[in-house]
Amino acid sequence: MEMADVTKAPPMHNHKTRNDLEGNAKKVSIEILNARLADMIDLALITKQAHWNLKGPRFIAIHEMLDGFRDQIDEHVDTVAERVAQLGGTALGTSQIVAGQSKVSPYPTNIYKIEDHLAALIERYGSVANATRKAIDDTDEAGDADTADIFTAASRDLDKALWFLEAHTQEPA
């Protein structure tokens, strides 16, 4: 028996909803929401990977900061996934789909120094923040202001987290 490729998004079944958003706007938003959902779930896992394994003199401060970031990401993951369902779509958040769909570069599992984790996190938070910012424009252009607003909230938190991470690597002026 041949196994289906679970890393690819399956054909989507749209559910009837009285949400009167235009059909194409729903389709575009569901696709973008699921793409960013994969990235955000991946970023949440990456954040915990760093949280568990970083070593150095600023350990506790960064360890605790990363816990807060993970909590924020989890809230946005839930909001994004629920928006997919509100639009009649299926939220795609299994580990297999996330692994196959995330645009976030793989996180190294053989790093331990705080500086190495910060550099790796900065790269990935920047990538997800930038993709999220693009999603604001793309869903707004499609006619879905509510989804654009969801991405705006996520973007603010991702940008703030990125700022916090970068501040740990920047020298005072």
Side-chain angles (χ1 to χ4, degrees), residues 7 37-39 41-42 45 92-102:
T7 63
L37 180 64
D39 291 351
I41 291 171
D42 197 8
L45 294 170
L92 302 173
T94 66
S95 59
Q96 296 84 8
I97 290 175
V98 169
Q101 298 293 307
S102 175

Side-chain angles (χ1 to χ4, degrees), residues 63-89:
H63 180 81
E64 289 177 353
M65 179 180 71
L66 294 179
D67 258 344
F69 292 172
R70 172 63 190 259
D71 290 344
Q72 279 184 335
I73 294 168
D74 285 345
E75 287 180 29
H76 292 295
V77 161
D78 198 47
T79 301
V80 166
E82 288 174 353
R83 182 64 178 164
V84 172
Q86 291 164 17
L87 296 177

